[in-house]
Amino acid sequence: MLTSIKEILTKAQEGGYAVGAFNLSNMETAQGILMAAVERRSPLIVQITESTMKFAGAKEIAEITRTIIKERSGDIPIGINLDHGKTFEVAMRCIDLGFNGVMIDGSRLSFEENLNLTKRVVDYAHEKQVTVQAELGVVPYLGESDLSEVNWKDFMTDPEQARQFVEATGADSLAIGIGNAHGFFRELENCDWDRLAEIREKIKIPLVIHGSSDWLEEKIIKAVEGGVSCFNVDTDLRLAFVHTLCQLTDDKCAITDPRNIMDAVRNAIKKKVIEKIHAYGSANKA
Ligand code: G3H
Ligand code: ZN
């Protein structure tokens, strides 16, 4: 059941668990994510990026996703969110396409520019009851760069700035930097937990951790105890997809029906999402 993302996150925050926000790339990944949500009775968020919209066609992927939610979710609360929207225009487009959440990522802009862009999106989105996630601090994409040369301080969220930012923009949730990074094992081994506690103390809205594909259960539990309500996952699902595909399609591949391959891919996505649901504590919270 398509459900307000603000409501999904607020319930998680009040209930002391987190929900996953899982990026999809096509029909089968969307179905795999939904199958996991339904089987474990877990609320969750499905996410679409600008690059997925470019790849699949914005209207096409939005309609497919909305249909899958309608057909499969039953009474399980599901949100559909734009992930890392960079402009007011893309946020507006996604709202028109029926997303009930948008992330506006102004984290590479100056504090003032990020604040102004976020505020503009919040004003537009709230008129239409759409939830807005903002980002302050930076969750970096470090690629192949030498981690020993990374100055993590440059990426961390400043707690006092976060307070001012949330107050001024009215954002519904905030993606923060506490040593997390996008991609697989490209982040600080130990997060800045004191910083998380300070941020939590200063702002009351749900906190989101991006780049959490590689977070193991122990770290997830610590973050949830520290007040994190949502974890974004992309790379881990991509890997489950590609590994399953590669295993089934080597040189001697005898499969002649692509549906057999995509069925296995869909099940691999479902299995991965179920693992995350259990780590976040969102099973049976629907
Ligand atoms: O916005 C998406 C997430 O932050 C995903 O990060 O690819 O490291 O899982 P990840
Ligand atoms: Zn992200």
Side-chain angles (χ1 to χ4, degrees), residues 23 47 83-84 181-184 210-213 232-236:
N23 287 23
Q47 302 202 120
D83 189 30
H84 290 290
H182 291 99
F184 233 44
H210 280 240
S212 61
S213 271
N232 276 27
V233 178
D234 189 359
T235 305
D236 218 8

